Amino acid sequence: MDSRERFLRACRRQAVDRPPVWFMRQAGRYMAEYRRLRERFSLLELCQRPDLATEVTVTAVERLGVDAAIIFADLLLPAEPLGLKLRYAAGEGPVITPALRDAADPAAAIADLPAPEAEALGYVSEAIRRTRAHFAGRIPVIGFAGAPFTLASYLVEGGASRTFVATKRLLWEHPAAWAHLMEKLCPLLTAFLADQVAAGAAAVQLFDSWAGALSEADYRQFVLPYVRLIVAAIEGLGTPVIYFSTGTAGYLETLRETGASVISVDWRVDLAAARERLGEGVAVQGNLDPAALLAPPAELRRAVQRVLAAAGDPPGYIFNLGHGILPETPVENVRAVVAMVQDAPAARPRRESAEGM
Ligand code: CP3
């Protein structure tokens, strides 16, 4: 079974020889090869030059031996076609100007945003084409985009936020303006992901990193309907969607309503309980704590074994972290986790293991 087949079968809840494994942020500053490239090129150059994005993507896969290649890009790239200025400031993270929170009239500022064409982000699809060709189809390429809430939170706050107060105020005080913003982002994100699928992405991941900042009621009203639109369009192409969020364990069952083939869960929920609550109709991805990659070897091994045991036998499981790799992570530890997952015994049907006793 090659990596592409193993990964796609897991997305579709079919039996596999062992769980597929890949990592969010598997290309990045923790890797010396990446840091060397970053001395010569900005993050935006790495994202926007398909030759460089392909090199970064491929290097991470080959160094780690993982089963999937997430295309090297960034969640905030759509800011530019929306007519906003995007820069990554050393030490303070991404900065988007002007931030919608600073607008005297947010509804007018949202109405004034151009309705952008996904072609402006065509460099991501080109990198997917090249990465797929490099691996001759044996390693699945995962495309991605930010989910509308998480992307919007950066546009509103102008960068990272701890409390998302400006975003919450916008959606509570100006619900029509929020709907308008979502109606601008959804077609762009859908077309962007569909282009990535046309370029050969085997699956796409929708990053809703900060959805867990919202109550379930707000999630249902202001987020879920828009996620459903995007997921339906991409799943309708026959391509699995992985829906990723963090801090949403309190309303995990609601995430099933996104319609995504795969739900990615973080480490704040026990994986066995998550699988139970999500039921058999959906595959699950996760959920090692990224900080476990900084733990002593014996503790890291225990943590990985705990995740694998909690994932259990039912088909439809992809090994990953609950969030991205941290910059201070030793590459050797990531490689060690890949080896542990790849040595994991094939998931046997329960009946067979019981009878064998
Ligand atoms: O996973 C991969 O290997 C693909 C690459 C990838 C990047 N960003 C490259 C990147 C992916 C999947 C992302 C997604 C992303 N970007 C998210 C969602 C995932 C998550 O972690 O929640 C978010 C919220 C962003 C926005 C973003 N980009 C932030 C907040 C930052 C600054 C914080 C940081 O980690 O530095 C970035 C910069 C960024 N995007 C880096 C990389 C490798 C590091 C910056 C650098 O090289 O200088």
Side-chain angles (χ1 to χ4, degrees):
M1 193 175 286
D2 71 14
S3 291
R4 181 184 164 86
E5 191 185 354
R6 181 179 299 115
F7 173 79
L8 281 172
R9 287 183 64 88
C11 289
R12 296 182 176 131
R13 291 173 286 109
Q14 296 162 343
V16 289
D17 54 349
R18 60 161 174 83
V21 49
W22 69 280
F23 300 94
M24 291 180 262
R25 297 284 190 104
Q26 63 193 18
R29 282 166 303 187
Y30 78 107
M31 214 172 253
E33 294 89 333
Y34 178 85
R35 289 195 302 273
R36 275 201 293 278
L37 269 178
R38 280 283 281 113
E39 286 168 14
R40 293 164 51 207
F41 304 102
S42 71
L43 174 62
L44 276 178
E45 280 175 300
L46 293 186
C47 293
Q48 294 178 342
R49 275 186 47 182
D51 57 331
L52 297 175
T54 302
E55 180 181 341
V56 172
T57 305
V58 164
T59 302
V61 171
E62 293 183 342
R63 186 97 160 77
L64 300 175
V66 286
D67 291 303
I70 182 162
I71 198 63
F72 189 79
D74 193 67
L75 186 139
L76 300 175
L77 297 172
E80 289 197 323
L82 282 162
L84 306 171
K85 221 172 138 293
L86 168 64
R87 67 189 171 85
Y88 295 88
E92 55 169 311
V95 180
I96 292 173
T97 42
L100 289 171
R101 67 183 299 161
D102 295 330
D105 180 350
I110 288 167
D112 285 346
L113 291 175
E117 302 288 337
E119 285 85 85
L121 301 167
Y123 50 84
V124 175
S125 293
E126 180 54 27
I128 289 176
R129 244 173 246 118
R130 292 180 189 211
T131 302
R132 185 165 186 253
H134 175 91
F135 289 118
R138 283 188 300 274
I139 301 277
V141 182
I142 302 174
F144 79 90
F149 170 78
T150 292
L151 175 57
S153 79
Y154 283 96
L155 306 182
V156 174
E157 309 279 345
S161 172
R162 277 177 57 82
T163 58
F164 301 93
V165 169
T167 308
K168 292 180 182 184
R169 287 190 59 176
L170 176 68
L171 55 83
W172 289 331
E173 290 173 24
H174 305 279
W178 175 261
H180 198 173
L181 178 57
M182 293 295 102
E183 284 154 17
K184 282 209 167 149
L185 296 184
C186 283
L188 171 66
L189 296 171
T190 303
F192 181 35
L193 290 171
D195 285 351
Q196 296 182 46
V197 170
V204 302
Q205 179 156 319
L206 209 44
F207 280 89
D208 219 347
S209 310
W210 314 130
L214 295 175
S215 69
E216 179 177 10
D218 286 331
Y219 179 84
R220 274 194 175 282
Q221 183 177 351
F222 298 107
V223 177
L224 183 59
Y226 307 106
V227 172
R228 284 172 58 96
L229 281 177
I230 298 172
V231 171
I234 303 303
E235 292 275 353
L237 302 171
T239 303
V241 177
I242 307 170
Y243 180 71
F244 163 80
S245 60
T246 72
T248 46
Y251 48 90
L252 215 50
E253 294 81 357
T254 305
L255 304 184
R256 273 199 65 166
E257 296 176 37
T258 60
S261 290
V262 186
I263 300 292
S264 193
V265 298
D266 74 21
W267 60 96
R268 296 166 185 92
V269 60
D270 173 72
L271 191 57
R275 296 206 75 179
E276 190 76 37
R277 286 169 61 193
L278 286 165
E280 283 182 357
V282 68
V284 174
Q285 171 176 281
N287 72 343
L288 185 71
D289 181 347
L293 288 166
L294 304 171
E299 185 49 42
L300 174 57
R301 175 168 291 277
R302 268 195 298 276
V304 171
Q305 298 303 346
R306 262 199 303 270
V307 168
L308 288 170
D313 288 338
Y317 170 64
I318 299 166
F319 188 96
N320 206 315
L321 308 176
H323 206 161
I325 292 181
L326 299 165
E328 54 270 50
T329 302
V331 173
E332 283 321 304
N333 291 6
V334 185
R335 287 166 52 96
V337 171
V338 173
M340 287 176 220
V341 178
Q342 293 182 344
D343 288 344
R348 259 175 268 119
R350 284 182 197 285
R351 186 170 35 81
E352 192 182 306
S353 47
E355 280 171 2
M357 290 289 123

